[in-house]
């Protein structure tokens, strides 16, 4: 076991865990990861909750109570998921206090079925913030076109946000713009900007998965040479955009009002192609002021054999652009790829949510007390 995770943390990368379950909370595992593996935050999504709750581990008593109350399946899901997030937030509270609110955060997503409905997303974000009722919560809002004005409105109300499902550089700039607009709105309302935090979840591995598939279909030597480079290039250029936006005159005015930068968060960092090193999307995306949220397997791989060699992002922008250009020259449309990934991301989370609704509804019916 190396101390790669400490070195990663020392480089200014916040290590978050991309997983949560009641068993992880009650067994002491989450507290252990915070204590021993430098974990300073947790992200969840509909797929993570679907897996956790469907396993049944630790949820039976609450499900039985909910069944006795005859709550709707939607209410049951919200009671279960917000309970887990609240408990995780309490475990992470010392980290939150020690970092003045930057880390020690737990993210919970708005209902993915609302991804294309701005008004409903805003209402759901407000409801989730109220339900969890912990200052170290981040409400996850997808970076769809409908999500952008919701981000501005929710930030403007002083609610901290994790913007999720970002794949394209253009959309990422729109997300940062929405965040700054939200801060300006909060400032005009007299809110304390130092209390508002945000991360922008830029997805990594799925970009390689989709582009590599198209490169493999081409089958040329040039296509083979381009494999496994697009995702890192895309993320590195996102960091370049982050540096630009958060040194602009617009940002300087907010910085003077004690606003916090919206940190880039590398999401989807588990390697999907066994041909690539299992720490690829960690060790090659090191730069200060970033977050890397990892599934446990990636966290363990990094701890065991990750080689942290300082900043691996700044100074790479020209090469990163050349690598994306090389893919484009082979006839693969960047715009087509990132739009497809956004659409699929929303669909996958919605499918997981629907699976969770179905399995929970079945459990509520099974556990419902007999009449009389």
């Amino acid at each position: 076991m190396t101390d790669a995770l400490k070195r990663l943390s020392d480089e200014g990368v916040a290590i978050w865990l991309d997983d949560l379950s009641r068993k992880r909370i009650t067994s002491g595992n989450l507290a252990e990861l915070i204590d021993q593996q430098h974990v300073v935050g947790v992200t969840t999504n509909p797929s993570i909750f679907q897996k956790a709750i469907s396993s049944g581990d630790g949820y039976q008593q609450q499900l039985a109570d909910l069944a006795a109350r005859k709550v709707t399946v939607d209410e049951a899901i919200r009671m279960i998921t917000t309970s887990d997030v609240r408990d995780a937030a309490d475990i992470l509270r010392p980290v939150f206090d020690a970092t003045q609110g930057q880390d020690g955060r737990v993210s919970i997503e708005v209902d993915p079925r609302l991804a294309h409905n701005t008004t409903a997303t805003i209402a759901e974000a407000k409801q989730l913030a109220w339900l969890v009722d912990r200052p170290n919560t981040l409400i996850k809002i997808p970076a769809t076109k409908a999500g952008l004005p919701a981000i501005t409105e929710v930030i403007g109300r002083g609610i901290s946000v994790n913007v999720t499902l970002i794949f394209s550089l253009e959309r990422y700039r729109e997300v940062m713009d929405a965040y700054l607009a939200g801060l300006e709105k909060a400032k005009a309302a007299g809110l304390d900007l130092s209390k508002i935090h945000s991360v922008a979840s830029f997805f990594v591995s799925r970009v390689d998965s989709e582009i590599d598939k198209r490169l493999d279909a081409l089958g040329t030597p040039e296509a083979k040479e381009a494999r496994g480079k697009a995702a890192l290039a895309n993320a590195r250029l996102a960091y370049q955009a982050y540096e630009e936006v958060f040194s602009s005159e617009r940002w300087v005015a907010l910085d003077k009002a004690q606003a916090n930068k919206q940190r880039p968060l590398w999401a989807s960092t588990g390697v999907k192609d066994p041909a690539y090193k299992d720490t690829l999307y960690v060790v090659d995306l090191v730069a200060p002021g970033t977050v890397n949220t990892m599934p446990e397997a990636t966290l363990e791989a990094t701890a065991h054999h990750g080689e942290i060699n300082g900043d691996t992002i700044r100074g790479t922008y020209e090469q990163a652009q050349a690598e994306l250009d090389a893919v484009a020259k082979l006839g693969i449309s960047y715009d087509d790829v990132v739009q497809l990934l956004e659409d699929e991301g929303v669909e996958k989370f919605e499918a997981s949510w629907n699976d969770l609704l179905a399995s929970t509804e079945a459990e509520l019916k099974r556990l419902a007390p007999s009449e009389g």
Side-chain angles (χ1 to χ4, degrees), residues 118 141-159 161-164 166 169-187 196-200 245-246 250-251 254 260 262:
T118 303
I141 296 175
T144 56
K145 278 292 185 186
L148 295 171
I151 293 158
T152 296
E153 180 64 27
V154 172
I155 289 290
R157 289 173 177 267
I159 298 170
V161 171
N162 174 345
V163 184
T164 188
I166 309 170
L169 295 165
E170 181 184 359
R171 184 56 54 83
Y172 178 42
R173 285 184 180 274
E174 292 175 334
V175 164
M176 289 188 283
D177 181 71
Y179 174 62
L180 296 182
L183 288 176
E184 287 159 353
K185 199 166 187 172
K187 184 182 175 187
I196 304 170
H197 288 259
S198 183
V199 294
V245 169
F246 289 99
R250 186 182 183 191
W251 168 249
L254 290 163
N260 297 292
Q262 181 187 56

Side-chain angles (χ1 to χ4, degrees), residues 46 78 108-115 120-122 124-125 128 139-142 353:
R78 277 309 180 209
I108 184 168
E109 192 139 353
V110 298
D111 186 329
R113 295 171 297 179
L114 308 177
T121 293
I122 294 166
E124 171 92 343
L128 282 174
I139 307 303
K140 288 180 84 173
I141 296 175
W353 196 256

Side-chain angles (χ1 to χ4, degrees), residues 12 102 169 172-173 176 179 198 200 235-248 251 260-266 287-290 313-314 317:
Q102 180 163 261
L169 295 165
Y172 178 42
R173 285 184 180 274
M176 289 188 283
Y179 174 62
S198 183
R236 286 166 171 172
L237 291 173
Y239 191 83
Q240 181 185 34
Y242 158 77
E243 287 189 307
E244 286 175 14
V245 169
F246 289 99
S247 59
S248 66
W251 168 249
N260 297 292
K261 291 179 180 177
Q262 181 187 56
R263 290 182 293 170
L265 178 151
W266 311 128
T290 59
I313 293 182
R314 290 182 295 187
Y317 304 144

Side-chain angles (χ1 to χ4, degrees), residues 173-353:
R173 285 184 180 274
E174 292 175 334
V175 164
M176 289 188 283
D177 181 71
Y179 174 62
L180 296 182
L183 288 176
E184 287 159 353
K185 199 166 187 172
K187 184 182 175 187
L191 299 183
D192 181 354
L193 299 194
S194 71
K195 297 282 198 293
I196 304 170
H197 288 259
S198 183
V199 294
S201 295
F202 200 88
F203 279 55
V204 187
S205 68
R206 293 187 197 180
V207 174
D208 269 345
S209 296
E210 182 58 35
I211 289 181
D212 284 358
K213 183 171 73 177
R214 298 183 187 205
L215 291 169
D216 291 345
L218 292 173
T220 63
E222 293 84 359
K224 190 174 182 182
E225 175 62 25
R227 284 185 102 259
K229 295 179 179 177
L232 289 176
N234 200 38
R236 286 166 171 172
L237 291 173
Y239 191 83
Q240 181 185 34
Y242 158 77
E243 287 189 307
E244 286 175 14
V245 169
F246 289 99
S247 59
S248 66
E249 285 184 26
R250 186 182 183 191
W251 168 249
V252 169
L254 290 163
D255 186 42
K256 285 176 182 171
Q258 263 65 61
N260 297 292
K261 291 179 180 177
Q262 181 187 56
R263 290 182 293 170
L265 178 151
W266 311 128
S268 182
T269 55
V271 172
K272 296 180 172 60
D273 188 331
Y276 303 150
K277 64 184 178 187
D278 54 3
T279 59
L280 179 67
Y281 304 124
V282 178
V283 301
D284 288 337
L285 286 176
V286 177
T290 59
V291 180
N292 195 309
T293 189
M294 310 177 205
E296 190 166 22
T298 304
L299 183 76
E300 288 176 355
T302 304
H304 186 263
H305 53 261
E307 295 179 14
I308 308 302
N309 298 306
D311 190 329
T312 50
I313 293 182
R314 290 182 295 187
T316 68
Y317 304 144
E318 196 174 321
Q319 177 67 23
Q321 188 60 60
E323 284 165 351
L324 285 190
D325 290 344
V327 170
K329 281 174 189 166
L330 291 167
I332 295 171
S333 167
Y334 175 86
D335 290 342
D336 182 64
V337 167
V338 293
Q339 188 58 56
L340 175 75
L341 290 172
E342 180 186 304
D343 293 343
E344 283 184 350
V346 172
E347 286 165 11
K348 283 175 183 173
F349 282 168
E350 191 171 330
S352 294
W353 196 256

Side-chain angles (χ1 to χ4, degrees), residues 60 63 67 360-369:
Q60 289 304 301
L63 280 164
T360 302
E361 188 166 34
E363 277 297 279
L364 291 172
K365 283 178 180 172
R366 187 181 68 81
L367 294 165

